Amino acid sequence: AAGVERLAAITVAVQQANALRLALPTPRDRLAGFIRTHAVFFGNDTDYRDPGSLDETLDRLAGLLQQSDVLLRIVGYTDERGGQQRNTSLSQARADKVLEALAQRGIPRERLIAVGRLNNIDLSPSSGTGSPNRRGEFEIGFAGERAAAERVP
């Protein structure tokens, strides 16, 4: 009887340990949580608005990326100032600048994709150097996205 009770207790302990292990966030979960709440903001052109906090943000992001194997999409945005032609190239230049900063922190370029988007997703009605619409955001890429992007002429 004592052996049966010990076996039952061990079984319960193993089940609880497995449940706890399943509840722990994975590296991908931690990365997803970080990118939901962080962005890089720009002032004029490709000048970072707050270079001091930028280093901390990109260092943390690079650390999370090094713990996972995900593809990261960096999306550059503009505000409504400037024409479509200028903003198209500016949004791409912002994304490229953040990509370079992550590559300098040791993230392989093949795990990064830079995309420029126009100001279709505004965070604020404000414009100018203080506008949060001038930003770089992060998205987890899709499986196969890198290969598909490389096949496009």
Side-chain angles (χ1 to χ4, degrees):
V4 170
E5 287 180 27
R6 271 186 269 154
L7 181 59
I10 290 171
T11 301
V12 168
V14 167
Q15 289 172 341
Q16 288 173 341
N18 284 336
L20 179 62
R21 192 173 328 127
L22 293 175
L24 294 175
T26 65
R28 183 185 177 103
D29 294 336
R30 288 190 295 274
L31 175 63
F34 182 84
I35 65 175
R36 272 194 303 273
T37 58
H38 290 80
V40 173
F41 296 97
F42 293 88
N44 283 322
D45 298 322
T46 59
D47 295 336
Y48 294 121
R49 188 175 342 146
D50 185 4
S53 68
L54 171 83
D55 284 333
E56 179 183 338
T57 298
L58 293 181
D59 288 347
R60 286 182 57 200
L61 179 58
L64 291 166
L65 282 167
Q66 289 168 344
Q67 296 172 22
S68 69
D69 62 351
V70 302
L71 175 71
L72 185 73
R73 191 178 317 113
I74 303 145
V75 184
Y77 289 97
T78 62
D79 61 16
E80 74 279 353
R81 290 189 177 183
Q84 182 175 356
Q85 183 176 356
R86 180 181 186 281
N87 283 347
T88 298
S89 62
L90 179 56
S91 63
Q92 183 66 49
R94 288 176 176 169
D96 290 338
K97 185 168 183 176
V98 176
L99 183 149
E100 289 301 320
L102 289 169
Q104 289 174 1
R105 286 168 169 80
I107 305 304
R109 291 176 190 278
E110 59 270 9
R111 292 190 44 215
L112 303 170
I113 294 179
V115 177
R117 294 187 185 146
L118 296 178
N119 61 337
N120 297 347
I121 305 174
D122 287 343
L123 300 178
S124 167
S126 69
S127 63
T129 59
S131 173
N133 299 328
R134 297 179 176 197
R135 68 192 184 281
E137 290 185 5
F138 311 103
E139 301 171 350
I140 292 177
F142 299 108
E145 181 175 347
R146 166 61 72 190
E150 290 173 354
R151 286 193 301 266
V152 175

